[in-house]
Amino acid sequence: MQGDVSFTFLNRIEEVELNIVDGRWQSALALALTLPDICGGIAFPEIVKHYRYGRVMLDRQKNPTRDVGTQYIRWFDEYAGDHFKYGKG
């Protein structure tokens, strides 16, 4: 029987680091790219999908559906984008 399978944000960062140490570059990159998704959902929970006529889309549990792409982009732009600009300054 499998034990606790919860996976914290810090566990995910550690897993990225372990993949780098082991030279599993593709795994490290794929996992690292999930971090802005998680952060975007935490930082911008108000960004949700809407139908064309304005009503909020709901999931099966009747919760607003995250607009993951917009959350990801906004988090990256606000917190990481400046670190990726060529010739800053």
Side-chain angles (χ1 to χ4, degrees):
M1 176 177 249
Q2 202 169 10
D4 181 17
V5 293
S6 62
F7 203 68
T8 68
F9 190 78
L10 293 177
N11 294 132
R12 189 160 296 201
I13 292 171
E14 183 179 326
E15 189 73 19
V16 170
E17 292 169 344
L18 290 171
N19 278 299
I20 291 169
V21 168
D22 290 342
R24 295 184 306 237
W25 305 108
Q26 191 172 8
S27 296
L29 176 61
L31 194 55
L33 290 173
T34 67
L35 300 176
D37 175 31
I38 296 166
C39 293
I42 293 168
F44 307 109
E46 73 281 0
I47 298 176
V48 296
K49 290 184 178 182
H50 293 82
Y51 291 103
R52 286 187 208 179
Y53 50 86
R55 195 180 79 169
V56 172
M57 287 185 183
L58 302 177
D59 63 18
R60 291 180 181 172
Q61 290 76 37
K62 306 293 184 210
N63 296 315
T65 303
R66 289 179 56 203
D67 186 343
V68 176
T70 302
Q71 289 175 336
Y72 192 109
I73 291 166
R74 184 157 170 205
W75 182 88
F76 186 87
D77 287 348
E78 289 197 24
Y79 296 101
D82 287 343
H83 302 286
F84 289 86
K85 290 183 180 174
Y86 179 75
K88 293 190 308 188

